[in-house]
Structures are given as structure tokens and as C-alpha cells.
Amino acid sequence: MTFDVPTTRGTYTSLSDGWTYLNGAERPQIPARTSAAVSTSFRSAPKKLRSEPSSGIHSRSREAGSSAAAEMAMNARRAFADMVGGRASNVVLGSSRYQLMQQLMHSMGRRLTLGTELVLSRTGRPSTRIPVERAADMFGTKLRYAEADLSTGVVPSWQFDGLVNRRTRLVVVSAADPHVGAISPVRKIADIAHQNPEAWFLVDATDFAAHRVVDMQALGADIVLVDAAQWGGPEVSALIFRDPMMFRKLSSVALTPAAEGAQRLEVDSAAPGLLGGVGESVQHVATLDREAKGTRRRRIEQSVPQVQKYVETLTNRLIDGLRYLDRVHIVCMDGDEAEGGVDRIGRVSFIVNGVPAATVVRRLMDNGVVTSIAERGNSGLLEAIGVFEEGGAVVVGLQPFNLRHDVDQLVRAVRSLG
């Protein structure tokens, strides 16, 4: 089946403003159904719900006076669970990845004693990495870092053999780098991490989830971190745990003393109005393939591969177009041929020799093309490469509504720089 781009574009009313949006890595566009759901949710969140009759063996009736806000939170848990192949009862909701990581690291205090260790990858976003670094400093835990191959952006799995040991308590890896798109060998890393039964494996799948099917069992993840904003949802994040028994090993940080399970880690969840939009954003992903059938999870498994194939063609077109411009250097593409190709999501960063990234972005804006800049402090990978000493990099983030014309428009604008 050919991916239905025109219908997909029709679900984004923001595309009618004349801009060509290629900034999905920074600020993805929001489908109309999601923004409408958020608007409705903010109005209805304070309300109480009427009773709702039910039928069937496994059904559950809704009691009169139930909170609409609580219903929205439950729907958001189900949506996040469907997105990663987890269980709704194991979903911890939060307003951001940074907040959730802070709560998780604080709750792990009883496991992070002197002599224990944490393993971090330098790829990914600082919102995931910084709370872990601060927790290590607070609890006196040793930090070990996994480095990326600077020619490809991939984090090699073999180095974890020397990083994970019997003292390791948590291994944190980004499934895909948000700036260069390189996908990490997550399953291989998980197998190494799980040689120590005391080590938990956390995968930040936020950027990955916008382009690939996330299956936390297949990834070997004990915990998956995602942010709905990256697939066009509201700014709501979630931690999804593999096993509910894991909550018993964590200290409760909730303000409610009687909180159990996932609620033990929820200090301050996202606004109910935003939670009300999570389900519609996931429903949007599930309906990108108009012929998909079955449960929402099953439809996601059918729709996302269609998006993957389409965005891959756009990514290859963009790389081919930029690669033959004399002054352009594409970051972390040097080793692709030597490595036999690197699996990537639709993210490309590039430098125009002698031209600061801010100037390139302004030129693109003058041509109606919206991209973003990789800023210092936002990427350990780009910092290690030395990108910021060269004036930074322009980041292109492709979304399912983009066209080949969008890519060609960007390439022409970059070529005009000389």
C-alpha cells in the first residue's frame, strides 16, 4: 500500500499558513483532532460524569460523580501503553521527561548507595541525562558513559561489556539520536545489561516512537520513556514499567500517602486538559494507515511502518541532495558506507562551511522553510564532534506530512548560499 500523503496533510490545519515545516525535531506540528481534543478537555476537566451502563463479562460500569479529569488520566495511560506495547497500570504520567526522570532518580535512592554505578549514553537529550547525573552526585554513585561512534552517531553495543557490572543499578540509552537520527542497537545493549539482575534498563524512545513501532518487550526495556509531543501530541510524558513489582523497590515520592503502583511516582501529573489530548494523538498515529484494522495497538503496528517507509524515502532524498553541495557537510554520515549503512529516523543535521547555522536558518526562513538549530548544551554527541566550534548545525526533522517538494525547496535554498 502507498502511504496516503494528501489525506495525512489534511489532518494538519497548520499547514495552510504557507510555511514549509521541517522542524519536527524541535516543534512537531499538531493534528487538528489533537488540538480539538485538548480544547474540549480543558472545558470539561472540572466536570463530574454521569453513570454509564455497561454490558459484557469484562465490562465495568462508571459510577455517577466520577471525575472527568480522572477519566482523562486513565485514557492517557491506555494511550501511552498502546504506543509502546505496555500495560496501562504501569504508566507513570508527568508534564515532561525531565520531571519524570527527576522523580524516578529520587525514588531510586534506596538502590543508589555508595559503590553502586549508573551507565549513561552521551547521545539523546539533556532532559533525560541531567537528572541521572545529578542523582549520581547526590547519592555518591559512580557514573560511567557510553560513547557514540562520531562517524555514524551510533552507540556501539560492545562497549557495554566493560561498562555494566555487578554494581550497576541503571542503564539509560536513547533509542535514536534526536539530531542525527542514528538508531542504537537497543536489544543488544539490553541483553548485556540484563546479565546483572540488579540492573534496570531504561530506554528513551521519544524520538524513535515518532518513526518506528515501539515494542518494549522486543527492545528488552524495563522502563520506556516517551513524550507525546514528538508525534504531534500535547506536552505530556510517561514512564512505562515492564513489571509492576518494580514499584515495590522504589520509594514513594507521591504527595498522597496511600498512593500505590505507578501513582507512587506521580508528584504532579500533567494538566487534565493536556491529558485529554493524548488519546487523540495516539489515535491519529493509529489511523495514518486508512486500511489498518483491529485494536488501537494493532493499528499502530500497521500504520507506523507505512510512515517509516515514506519518511525513509524523504530522508534519503534529503541526504542525496545535500551530499553533492560543495560547502555542505552532513553530520555523522562519514561512516555510513564503511558500516554498510546505518538505520536512521528522519533527522538530519548539516553544516555549511564558513556560514553559521543561525545564518543558514534565517536564509531558509526567507525561503519559507522552517528548520531548527542544534544549540550548545542540547547534544553531547554534537559537542564531542566539535559542531559548536563551527557555528552550530542546522537540524531537519521530517514528519509524515512532508513532501518531496519540501525537501527540494530546502536543498535549493541551501545551494543559494554559494
Side-chain angles (χ1 to χ4, degrees), residues 60 73-93 214-217 221-224 226 238-247 261-263 266 296-297:
R60 179 180 296 178
M74 191 63 247
N75 288 336
R77 295 182 202 280
R78 295 191 186 103
F80 277 120
D82 284 345
M83 201 66 186
V84 305
R87 297 175 59 183
S89 58
N90 295 347
V91 176
V92 180
L93 299 173
V214 180
D215 184 339
M216 63 185 304
Q217 300 298 327
D222 297 306
I223 310 170
V224 172
V226 286
L239 281 170
I240 303 93
F241 285 71
R242 173 184 53 80
D243 187 349
M245 297 299 291
M246 296 171 68
F247 294 115
Q263 285 76 21
E266 292 182 356
R296 183 165 60 184
R297 173 62 186 177

Side-chain angles (χ1 to χ4, degrees), residues 213-271:
V213 176
V214 180
D215 184 339
M216 63 185 304
Q217 300 298 327
L219 292 175
D222 297 306
I223 310 170
V224 172
L225 175 64
V226 286
D227 186 339
Q230 280 301 314
W231 60 74
E235 294 186 359
V236 179
S237 297
L239 281 170
I240 303 93
F241 285 71
R242 173 184 53 80
D243 187 349
M245 297 299 291
M246 296 171 68
F247 294 115
R248 297 188 180 184
K249 298 182 179 181
L250 300 173
S251 301
S252 176
V253 295
L255 302 179
T256 306
E260 293 293 336
Q263 285 76 21
R264 288 165 59 89
L265 300 188
E266 292 182 356
V267 175
D268 186 17
S269 184

Side-chain angles (χ1 to χ4, degrees), residues 272-294:
L274 293 178
L275 291 174
V278 174
E280 284 301 322
S281 73
V282 174
Q283 188 69 11
H284 168 76
V285 174
T287 56
L288 287 173
D289 181 353
R290 305 295 162 178
E291 297 183 4
K293 305 294 182 182

Side-chain angles (χ1 to χ4, degrees), residues 161-230:
D161 284 318
L163 294 172
V164 178
N165 54 53
R166 61 182 179 81
R167 297 181 296 275
T168 305
R169 294 297 176 265
L170 182 68
V171 179
V172 181
V173 172
S174 178
D177 186 82
H179 298 103
V180 304
I183 296 177
S184 302
V186 176
R187 182 68 213 201
K188 292 181 180 179
I189 298 172
D191 292 340
I192 296 172
H194 288 150
Q195 291 176 10
N196 172 10
E198 292 296 319
W200 289 354
F201 183 49
L202 186 151
V203 178
D204 183 353
T206 298
D207 297 280
F208 183 84
H211 299 266
R212 297 286 195 278
V213 176
V214 180
D215 184 339
M216 63 185 304
Q217 300 298 327
L219 292 175
D222 297 306
I223 310 170
V224 172
L225 175 64
V226 286
D227 186 339
Q230 280 301 314

Side-chain angles (χ1 to χ4, degrees), residues 46-70:
K47 295 182 179 180
K48 294 294 184 180
L49 303 175
R50 297 183 180 276
S51 61
E52 186 177 82
S54 62
S55 60
I57 298 175
H58 301 290
S59 63
R60 179 180 296 178
S61 61
R62 185 173 67 200
E63 297 181 1
S66 299
S67 167

Side-chain angles (χ1 to χ4, degrees), residues 287-330:
T287 56
L288 287 173
D289 181 353
R290 305 295 162 178
E291 297 183 4
K293 305 294 182 182
T295 64
R296 183 165 60 184
R297 173 62 186 177
R298 178 59 184 152
R299 284 181 284 127
I300 290 171
E301 293 173 341
Q302 296 173 59
S303 293
V304 175
Q306 298 291 336
V307 175
Q308 173 185 339
K309 292 177 183 177
Y310 177 68
V311 174
E312 280 178 351
T313 64
L314 294 182
T315 305
N316 292 334
R317 188 182 186 91
L318 175 61
I319 292 171
D320 290 340
L322 293 174
R323 180 171 280 161
Y324 296 105
L325 299 182
D326 293 337
R327 298 178 61 188
V328 173
H329 172 72
I330 307 176

